[in-house]
Amino acid sequence: MDKPPVKMMDPTLAEMGNHLSDAMKILESGKLESEQGKERRKLSWKDIPGPLQGDGQDVVSILQLVQNLMHGDDDKQGQRRMQYVAEQGHMALLGHSLAAYISVLERERLRKLTTRILSDTTLWLCRLFRYENGSAYYHEDDCEGLVKVCRLVINTHYEDYATEGFTMLSSKHPVIYQSAACRPGLGQHLCSQLGLPLSCLCIVPCNTMFGSLHQMDVALLDKLIRDDRESGKVPLLLIANAGTPGAGHTDKLSRLKELCVQYNMWLHVEGVNLATLALGQVSSAVTAATKCDSMTLTPGPWLGLPAVPAVTLYRHEDPALSLAAGLTSSQPVEKLRALPLWLSLQYLGHDGIVQRIKHASQLVEDELNSPVVVFRFSQDSAPSSGGSVEGYLEGERDILDALNRWLGEQLAQQVPLSGVDVVELEDEGTCVRFSPLMTAAALGTQENDVAALVEKLGEMIPVLSCTLRFRQDFKDEVLQQASLSYIEDLSWPGLGGVRYEPRTTDLDEDKRQHSVEKINSDLLKKLMELDTDLYFSGGPEFCEEKNGIFIGMATEDLDVAELVETIVSIGKDIEESGKLFENMTEVVRRGIQEAELQLQKANEEKLMEEGVFRQIPLVGSVLNWLSPVQASVKGRTFNLAEGCLDSTEPVYSVKAQMNKEASLDSPKSITKRFPGQKLFRRQGAGSDSVSDTSSVNQLEESFRETAHVQASDAEEAEVPQERHVHIVEETALSDQRVPEGHETESVDTLR
């Protein structure tokens, strides 16, 4: 049997595919530019837009530049959260390259090719999503298809609109109805693009008594339409949801379709649940979307395809009006928008498309009703052991929003393949959303990722509960401290904020503000160095309160009182140290001047005692050899506390006696924490609480140990009790020479 003839591929197409493959390998390789290359390009692409090079660059160099711009200075591959482009994604990217190549074909050949691409893609999508006898409009912006549909409906209701324009709308104002649960800003965008006043937009509230809180109130919509018709307005179009952007709820599409037929209105449906129309089993609520007048699909995120257009399917019998509305075009190049999707759908095939949507839907247990899960952490106001919630109802919504925002960010960071994100709902507040239809295909989410998400969620719930309970206790403890002020920031996900206030009152406002900033900055650094599980921060980026210290999430065994006492203790130490250093400069300066005078006086007395001849270089050496002089200069110690100079003899005699006694006494016992034990843990509150030793005492002991080591290195220079500084006096003039073997004993110097 003869084999079918093998057709040769166009060399340009083959080269294009190879170039795309090579480009993706370079961009996804993760190999950053060398350090030498970074220095060479530092001013050209990072800091300052450089001039265009005259000789040009090769493809590899340009792609390397793109890769560096994508990843910046991040040398850690694990920190890049860039979506991996799978093989079907490469087909979508190839479509954009092919579109540029095809656009240079001769006009007739281009027309035939674009017509085939457009008709094939439209037929496949209509069959996949059960939308019979539909046409398709491909657009980059998700809202663009709805804008074109609105123009089509306006042209349909106002016959002379094409010639008379907006004067036709002045007598009978059109009205566009949309659910309160629609995308934020959608209605305003429509009015802006259509040149309509906002009075033409009617927001229909959701149910308040029956059904879902995120479904459009059909009875109220009926009343609004009747009122508008009675006032001479024209009900034009209704926007409904098959999966609201926030919670994934589906409106009662069957009832809404009946209303639209009754009042001659256009029904447009959009939402993530439309993806389930490709499955074998679909809920009746979503199936009703197939009877609507138009729907917008977003196959890109559903199938994990990058840079593919959104599609608006619609039914209309008048091609002229569709052309006037911009839903169809006579320009073949515009029809090439469907090319990336045309290639990707062929690569996946019908079974591959259905399998991806089915896999994403089955990641949710009740996938038939809605493949979107929205959850929120909340806690009853009843007080429990270990904390209190008295007086906590005020601002509780904001605090819970902050905690849920933290929960969503942590889950997204620790389980990135889950694709969870944070969503703001009008009634519920901040929630965490798991919408696998929008993320699973691109991220490759599997069942084990969902299991990991549930496990992490179980670990974080106790932390959130403890933080909520201890937040009021922390505030009460801070308010009891005169040197601390509590910072009220309801957007902070943690125990709260605190500021250390210096006790000095004799400073002006500027100096006091500088002192507060310096002390709290040093205090924050000290707290961050402690061996504890608590998180300390300078606060939110746009926090109104400055110079604050914010404490993060808490655990069950947290000792709030000990935490506050430690903050106060460290703050006082920093404040006292600051006062000491402020006064030390002037005291030391005066001490040095006095020491210089005494040294000069001692040298003069020495000159008078030894005589003038001993100061002559040659004569002095002979005299010192014949009759040595045992000259001695007394050492001096500078007392910082009293600001005076004293002799060093009492100091060294006392030190010798102390060293002798210390060798006879037993060493001082210091209580230490057990290995692995953290600060601020209450005794018996958790498995890690293995010691009842106060962390504040341990902190003070560590400070004393540090001070003792410094004192040993610097003799008496930094001993807090004595505050002595040794100043060495000169033993003789610089040109005095002593015969070998007759050197005089010099004064001890600081090490």
Side-chain angles (χ1 to χ4, degrees), residues 157-175:
H157 280 74
Y158 299 90
E159 295 181 357
D160 297 330
Y161 178 77
T163 56
E164 300 295 332
F166 289 101
T167 57
M168 296 295 300
L169 308 179
S170 58
S171 58
K172 294 184 178 181
H173 288 282
V175 182

Side-chain angles (χ1 to χ4, degrees), residues 27 41 69 77 81 96 190 305 386 395 397 463 496 548 556 580 619 632 637 648 655 669 689 702 712 737:
L27 295 177
R41 297 181 183 271
L69 289 172
Q77 181 73 18
R81 297 192 61 184
H96 290 274
L190 288 177
L305 304 175
R397 165 73 176 264
V463 176
E556 178 68 27
L580 173 62
V619 178
S632 63
T637 179
T648 58
K655 179 181 177 182
S669 61
S689 302
S702 64
S712 300
R737 301 181 181 179

Side-chain angles (χ1 to χ4, degrees), residues 449-484:
D449 298 316
V450 179
L453 177 66
V454 175
E455 181 181 357
K456 289 295 180 182
L457 184 61
E459 296 174 359
M460 293 179 181
I461 293 301
V463 176
L464 292 168
S465 301
C466 294
T467 302
L468 192 60
R469 295 204 318 267
F470 286 133
R471 187 167 177 127
Q472 184 64 35
D473 295 344
F474 176 75
K475 179 178 180 180
D476 296 338
E477 290 287 342
V478 170
L479 294 178
Q480 294 177 7
Q481 301 291 336
S483 58
L484 297 180

Side-chain angles (χ1 to χ4, degrees), residues 283-324:
S283 64
S284 57
V286 178
T287 305
T290 59
K291 304 299 180 182
C292 66
D293 298 293
S294 61
M295 64 168 64
T296 296
L297 309 176
T298 55
W302 299 347
L303 304 177
L305 304 175
V308 297
V311 185
T312 295
L313 302 179
Y314 64 97
R315 296 189 185 97
H316 199 268
E317 298 178 355
D318 192 343
L321 292 180
S322 299
L323 180 62

